[in-house]
Amino acid sequence: MAKRPVYLNLFRIYLPLAGWVSVLHRISGALLFVAIPFGVWGLSVSLSGEAGYGRMADCLAQPLPRLILLLLIWALAHHGFAGLRHLALDVHWGVELGRAWQASVAVLLATGLVTLFAAWRLFA
């Protein structure tokens, strides 16, 4: 029995839950591909001296950089959990839809929990 697809009006396309996790996985991967080199560069510049570290700490006290950092945490968490999902489906379960649906829900829940914890730590 085929699962009913999830309809997202924004894109006007039908995808099952496992498909949406794959789409989010690609978005998070692209975000990390762009963000990680800039993050490493920013840290190297900031940590080159105490004044730079202080500027970085002051910057992270602002709401917008905190939101950007939270988005990067979401991307890293989602990319990591979705990668584990792909590995588990490929190695253990093949392409069985029931397992794919359960693994997709697990990815979304785990990513949500990590993001909520990060938001609590950043904005508390």
Side-chain angles (χ1 to χ4, degrees):
M1 179 177 185
K3 300 285 185 190
R4 182 181 175 140
V6 176
Y7 179 70
L8 184 62
N9 195 31
L10 179 66
F11 297 117
R12 299 194 185 285
I13 55 176
Y14 290 91
L15 277 179
L17 181 60
W20 284 116
V21 171
S22 294
V23 169
L24 291 173
H25 181 63
R26 289 182 180 96
I27 292 170
S28 66
L31 184 63
L32 290 174
F33 179 77
V34 171
I36 286 179
F38 284 110
V40 169
W41 174 79
L43 280 176
S44 66
V45 169
S46 298
L47 297 178
S48 61
E50 290 185 19
Y53 183 77
R55 284 194 307 273
M56 185 179 73
D58 290 341
C59 179
L60 287 178
Q62 305 300 318
L64 183 60
R66 284 185 181 181
L67 282 174
I68 293 170
L69 182 59
L70 183 63
L71 181 62
L72 292 177
I73 290 170
W74 168 82
L76 183 62
H78 184 86
H79 200 72
F81 288 127
L84 289 175
R85 168 193 171 270
H86 288 306
L87 180 64
L89 290 175
D90 291 344
V91 172
H92 296 292
W93 300 320
V95 292
E96 185 182 343
L97 289 180
R99 296 288 188 185
W101 182 84
Q102 293 169 5
S104 298
V105 170
V107 166
L108 294 177
L109 287 176
T111 304
L113 288 174
V114 168
T115 306
L116 284 175
F117 179 75
W120 172 68
R121 295 296 295 167
L122 285 171
F123 294 100

